Amino acid sequence: MSGTTTETPTNAASTTTLDAPPPAPLPAAGEQHHPNAGEPVPAQPAERGPTADCTADSAGGLTFDVRLPAGVSTGADAGLLLRRRPGPSGETEEVRLPLAPVQEATDGTLRAALPSTVRLGEGRWNVFLLLPGRQPRRLAPGINDLRSLVDRVPHESRTWLGVRIPYATKHGNLSVRSWMRWPHAEAGTLCVHDGGLELAGRLYGAEVKPAARLEARPRRGEGSPVLVEVASSAADPREFTVTLPYPALAGHRLWDLWLRPDEGAEAVRVARILDDVADKKRIFTYPAQAVEVADAAGAKPELTAKPYYTLNNDLAVRVDRTDP
């Protein structure tokens, strides 16, 4: 693989162009682990344009199979354009992938590969079809085969973790959600009960030392973090458990959870990204639990607390006041 990267001003994008890889075999049919993984998206009207089937591999790569209508001329320069949605600064990035015919597929099917070695900055990437002499056109999602992402285990020898999950936007277009992290603290089982949150997880790229702490940080930095001791597993120092007491969070509404593996080590955001669900906030929901605490005047306000996943699939806790 070879490529070139060009830096451009804010309103444009840095662009990476990849040489065409050899075609990969088509995925075998099989049952998906989640209802939205592997099921075809309902048919879109003809004006929505071509569709793309996506296949993910366990290393973090993606393959796009684009089905073009009969009679569409592609030429030798057909490709896909992945464009990251602009961040707060307005800057974006672009990655261009060449499309090549797939011999074993039906006529009009072209394939592009995004290798796991190509870095995609964190964010949401819109996917466009590029045909010679035509404007870039959004693609509609077809079948997503994401079985390899379920319970994915990253290799510890790597220096960065790339996660890419294709999904359908609310307008029915194909986009890719991307994360780049290392080390990474993957949230596992959450157990909620009166008084606190029990969290089990696994740290990739580092070990959980005896001085490890969970840090609950106020969302907007308006106070000091709440620190809680973390217990590592005797069998595997990368696995950890911790109980976060809700009363300690009564002073602020939103708290972000971080894991500091050792004294002096850099804190790692606790998140859940090693599966096939691009947006967990709407899918993984947890009950609110009552929080018993007295304020400075001795009154006991009615508070509830609940964990949730943010739009970035990071783990957080929200405290709400329910009394008038």
Side-chain angles (χ1 to χ4, degrees), residues 50 66 68 79-80 99 127-131 135-139:
V66 180
L68 298 178
L80 291 187
L99 280 166
V127 184
F128 298 83
L129 174 65
L130 298 177
L131 296 179
Q135 292 295 320
R137 187 176 185 181
R138 290 296 299 272
L139 285 169

Side-chain angles (χ1 to χ4, degrees), residues 215-242:
E215 297 183 2
R217 300 180 181 178
R219 172 68 54 85
R220 295 171 181 84
E222 64 268 31
S224 300
V226 173
L227 307 181
V228 184
E229 292 186 3
V230 173
S232 62
S233 169
D236 190 339
R238 293 166 295 186
E239 295 183 353
F240 64 91
T241 57
V242 60

Side-chain angles (χ1 to χ4, degrees), residues 272-298:
R272 186 167 181 176
I273 58 177
L274 296 178
D275 57 26
D276 60 347
V277 182
D279 293 296
K280 295 180 174 61
K281 186 173 184 178
R282 297 175 296 175
I283 298 176
F284 290 83
T285 59
Y286 301 92
Q289 300 294 332
V291 180
E292 296 184 4
V293 64
D295 59 22

Side-chain angles (χ1 to χ4, degrees), residues 166-180:
Y167 69 97
T169 70
K170 63 181 180 180
H171 299 297
N173 295 314
L174 175 64
S175 290
V176 175
R177 183 65 175 91
S178 174
W179 291 266
M180 277 187 57

Side-chain angles (χ1 to χ4, degrees), residues 9 15 24 50 61 63 71 84 92 94 108 115 119 147 157 166 184-185 205 212 273 276 303 308 314-315:
T15 303
T63 300
R84 184 172 58 82
T92 185
E94 291 182 351
R119 301 194 181 204
R147 290 170 293 176
S157 59
H184 167 61
I273 58 177
D276 60 347
L303 301 176
Y308 71 98
D314 295 323
L315 186 59

Side-chain angles (χ1 to χ4, degrees), residues 196-214:
L197 166 68
E198 295 180 4
L199 164 66
R202 184 180 178 88
L203 179 64
Y204 295 94
E207 293 185 355
V208 180
K209 301 296 185 179
R213 296 290 185 272
L214 180 74

